[in-house]
Amino acid sequence: MINVSHKSHTLRYARAEGLLRAGPDVRERLREKSIPKGDVAATARAAGIDAAKRTSEWVTFCQTLPLDWVDLSFEVVDEGLKVTAEAQTVWKTGVEIEAITAVSAALLNAYDMCKPLADDLEMSEVKVVEKRGGSSDYQ
């Protein structure tokens, strides 16, 4: 682990996103909220929040940090289901890994819920799209 004891507490924010690629039938079922296993967005949101809070248990060198806020949003787009996660804390290190973990867990849960309907699901494009805080924003 990296020693962060010398760093200052600053407001940290990150936003990540990812995509569950799915065909037109699955996309329509997502829009209609008619997936047999239940509400994909609600289940995946809860899973993503839980995963973000437990990121240091998944990622070996990740600091354990107190999250002040995590949320996820979902949008059915032309390619499938877009998942966006945001995380925020006042701490010594960034929250981009927590945001990526939230997206990844949400995608895994969405995949699991949709897999009975299609064999061609694909999780892709997981990335950090914004991060703020730390020394780059410190004044």
Side-chain angles (χ1 to χ4, degrees):
M1 250 167 101
I2 300 292
N3 185 352
V4 296
S5 59
H6 66 283
K7 291 186 172 187
S8 299
H9 288 81
T10 61
L11 179 62
R12 313 288 182 131
Y13 168 86
R15 182 168 43 95
E17 61 186 35
L19 181 67
L20 178 65
R21 292 188 178 280
D25 294 338
V26 173
R27 291 193 311 264
E28 187 58 30
R29 300 282 299 262
L30 286 164
R31 279 188 198 93
E32 295 172 349
K33 298 187 180 197
S34 63
I35 301 293
K37 287 188 175 184
D39 187 336
V40 172
T43 303
R45 179 178 179 270
I49 291 169
D50 188 46
K53 295 190 299 186
R54 301 177 71 177
T55 297
S56 66
E57 295 176 27
W58 289 30
V59 182
T60 301
F61 295 116
C62 187
Q63 304 287 342
T64 302
L65 55 89
L67 289 172
D68 294 316
W69 174 70
V70 177
D71 203 6
L72 287 92
S73 60
F74 301 85
E75 179 184 5
V76 179
V77 295
D78 290 341
E79 300 85 11
L81 182 66
K82 180 181 175 184
V83 178
T84 302
E86 298 176 277
Q88 189 167 294
T89 189
V90 176
W91 196 242
K92 298 177 177 194
T93 187
V95 291
E96 62 270 21
I97 300 302
E98 287 74 10
I100 292 171
T101 301
V103 167
S104 298
L107 286 169
L108 283 168
N109 277 269
Y111 183 101
D112 177 62
M113 293 180 78
C114 295
K115 72 181 180 186
L117 305 174
D119 293 330
D120 61 347
L121 300 173
E122 177 185 316
M123 294 175 285
S124 65
E125 302 176 42
V126 176
K127 59 189 171 193
V128 174
V129 294
E130 181 182 0
K131 69 178 201 169
R132 296 190 303 262
S135 60
S136 60
D137 292 338
Y138 185 74
Q139 301 201 12

